[in-house]
Amino acid sequence: MGSSAIHRSDVAAEVLAPRQITLPFAGSAEEETLRRACAYPRLRFMGSKHRLLPWIAGHLRRLSFESALDAFSGSGCVSYLLKCLGKQVTSNDFLLFASALARATIENSRHKVSETTVRGLLRQRTGGDGFILRTFRGVFFQPGDLRFLDTVWANMDAASNEAEKAIVVSAMVRACLKRQPRGVFTVAGDPERYKDGRRDLRMSLEEHFIESIGVFNNLVFSNGCRNKALCGDVFDVPGQHDLVYLDPPYVPRTDDNCYVKRYHFLEGLASCWRAEGTEILHHTKVRKIPKRFTPFSYRRTALEGFGRLFERFRESILVLSYSSNGYPDLEVLVKLMRSFKRGVAIHERGHRYHFGTHAQVSSRRAVVREYLVIGE
Ligand SMILES: C[S@@+](CC[C@H](N)C(=O)[O-])C[C@H]1O[C@@H](n2cnc3c(N)ncnc32)[C@H](O)[C@@H]1O
């Protein structure tokens, strides 16, 4: 274990005094809000807008609204920004693990996971029924890591309410994303070639988990509003919201944008593979679960999907994140939004996506134009 690794005896220190993220800001309330929002962990989530939070915040601040829906919340960082801005936030995503992140950080305004609870979660049992170890041995992680996940799930009752459980699941998710080479679950194995000595790959899942509990505890606060986290299809989200932030998957020019394909392990883990839709496809090498249909994944259905989306939320201020590498083209979407909204403004900036290991990153970096399309 490397010197930066966290030992079991350090649980208290990590849970009670997690590492702070420092930003070069000082002073004003606006900067303080942004500092708080940017403390949200970067989760290596495909399409995360974490790097764009200051830019998005600048545009949101000019709009007049009290309630907001983050309709495709993903990692949860934009929902958290909205919470920090003092808005009444509803987060929605059809992925269970994304919804758990939002329950822990958006809906939850006061519950933290205590040191005692962490000790209860880590209490050595035989690892429950060993389902995770049996199913994923030789596929992802080391046997000890998998046994650890089984143990946490077997001891989940140590968490005394749904908010605490959501923090525990979120901490497992962050741990797995950090420990997994490239943060995706498309290829089996724990290949030596990815072990370039980085701290994240040297630490065990348990060490990452303990650190992550501290990170999520540190995010808990009340903004004085009743915020909600939903888990479902965007077209089933009830109610009206002053502003709706839309960040659907983009149909890429190459490859696909399937979140379940990349993150099936996290999606299963969020319910220990008990939830409907997480049945393991045993014939697949990496023990996938079934894909979930979304119109935003396919050229033939994407445009119609956007049309339904704009129509459904036409009463709200629409804020759409989009990028130059998506399909359909920006002009097509702007024209479509103009058929529902009188004023449509386009804001643009460059954004560098990173997806890969250190060694690969330079070849896989892509500079794309990022847009915020605002319809009022
Ligand atoms: C581009 S990501 C959102 C990223 C997020 N804004 C962030 O900063 O992390 C798109 C999200 O849309 C979700 N999604 C795709 N289709 C959906 C649907 N029909 N209903 C609800 N969520 C959906 C995916 O699960 C994914 O988390």
Side-chain angles (χ1 to χ4, degrees):
M1 234 165 353
S3 56
S4 56
I6 301 158
H7 298 273
R8 203 172 263 261
S9 57
D10 294 331
V11 169
E14 282 293 324
V15 170
L16 300 176
R19 232 169 299 137
Q20 300 286 327
I21 297 167
T22 46
L23 287 172
F25 299 139
S28 77
E30 283 194 0
E31 286 165 344
E32 179 50 32
T33 300
L34 205 49
R35 190 198 60 74
R36 176 176 248 172
C38 290
Y40 198 87
R42 291 174 191 273
L43 289 171
R44 292 217 278 179
F45 187 82
M46 179 168 68
S48 165
K49 299 298 175 287
H50 197 293
R51 282 165 196 278
L52 297 175
L53 288 179
W55 179 63
I56 294 174
H59 288 291
L60 290 178
R61 277 207 179 95
R62 289 189 209 117
L63 301 168
S64 173
F65 65 104
E66 298 302 323
S67 62
L69 166 68
D70 182 2
F72 302 86
S73 60
S75 71
C77 64
V78 178
S79 291
Y80 196 70
L81 167 66
L82 289 161
K83 183 174 179 180
C84 292
L85 290 171
K87 309 302 178 185
Q88 186 187 320
V89 187
T90 304
S91 295
N92 178 69
D93 201 287
F94 71 1
L95 294 179
L96 283 172
F97 77 92
S99 175
L101 287 163
R103 245 180 304 130
T105 61
I106 312 302
E107 186 170 289
N108 175 24
S109 60
R110 61 194 175 97
H111 297 285
K112 298 189 181 196
V113 172
S114 69
E115 184 194 334
T116 313
T117 302
V118 173
R119 289 190 194 285
L121 291 163
L122 301 182
R123 203 173 47 233
Q124 281 309 332
R125 278 207 206 166
T126 47
D129 63 359
F131 169 80
I132 303 177
L133 176 60
R134 259 194 340 271
T135 311
F136 291 98
R137 183 179 218 134
V139 180
F140 300 124
F141 305 120
Q142 297 295 324
D145 289 325
L146 298 170
R147 206 171 297 115
F148 157 75
L149 295 175
D150 274 320
T151 300
V152 173
W153 262 112
N155 293 327
M156 192 56 100
D157 285 348
S160 45
N161 55 52
E162 289 308 307
E164 285 187 18
K165 283 181 189 157
I167 293 180
V168 173
V169 170
S170 300
M172 286 197 277
V173 164
R174 178 177 181 271
C176 292
L177 277 171
K178 282 197 155 271
R179 182 68 186 76
Q180 174 70 359
R182 299 192 300 126
V184 292
F185 296 86
T186 46
V187 182
D190 197 11
E192 286 303 316
R193 69 194 150 95
Y194 288 130
K195 294 190 180 155
D196 54 5
R198 274 186 300 148
R199 176 178 181 269
D200 282 354
L201 300 185
R202 287 199 314 268
M203 286 168 65
S204 68
L205 273 189
E206 179 171 334
E207 290 161 347
H208 276 302
F209 173 76
I210 292 168
E211 180 181 86
S212 300
I213 290 282
V215 169
F216 284 103
N217 273 347
N218 211 28
L219 296 177
V220 177
F221 79 104
S222 166
N223 71 349
C225 302
R226 283 172 73 96
N227 305 301
K228 273 212 96 39
L230 307 176
C231 184
D233 192 89
V234 66
F235 297 108
D236 297 331
V237 174
Q240 289 302 324
H241 314 268
D242 297 343
L243 179 145
V244 178
Y245 174 70
L246 300 168
D247 187 16
Y250 315 133
V251 182
R253 307 275 158 181
T254 54
D255 203 359
D256 63 47
N257 64 8
C258 182
Y259 281 84
V260 173
K261 174 173 134 185
R262 283 169 181 76
Y263 302 122
H264 61 91
F265 185 84
L266 306 178
E267 186 60 2
L269 182 63
S271 70
C272 203
W273 287 264
R274 288 175 195 136
E276 201 182 320
T278 63
E279 301 78 19
I280 290 195
L281 303 172
H282 283 281
H283 61 279
T284 59
K285 262 200 191 134
V286 290
R287 311 284 183 267
K288 289 184 196 167
I289 59 174
K291 282 189 180 182
R292 215 153 299 165
F293 174 77
T294 180
F296 305 100
S297 281
Y298 308 97
R299 281 181 176 239
R300 65 188 156 78
T301 48
L303 190 57
E304 193 231 327
F306 277 104
R308 282 177 66 204
L309 208 53
F310 296 162
E311 176 155 34
R312 162 65 184 88
F313 298 114
R314 65 189 303 166
E315 305 299 332
S316 310
I317 301 170
L318 297 178
V319 178
L320 170 72
S321 270
Y322 206 61
S323 89
S324 54
N325 59 356
Y327 171 90
D329 289 339
L330 178 74
E331 299 73 53
V332 176
L333 281 186
V334 169
K335 195 168 162 218
L336 186 61
M337 195 187 280
R338 286 209 165 107
S339 61
F340 296 100
K341 293 300 214 180
R342 252 178 295 149
V344 177
I346 303 154
H347 306 278
E348 176 180 342
R349 60 160 273 167
H351 178 51
R352 198 174 281 275
Y353 277 108
H354 296 232
F355 225 68
T357 63
H358 280 331
Q360 289 174 313
V361 120
S362 53
S363 60
R364 302 189 66 177
R365 266 179 185 165
V367 179
V368 294
R369 304 303 302 170
E370 280 287 338
Y371 305 107
L372 265 190
V373 184
I374 301 183
E376 291 186 82

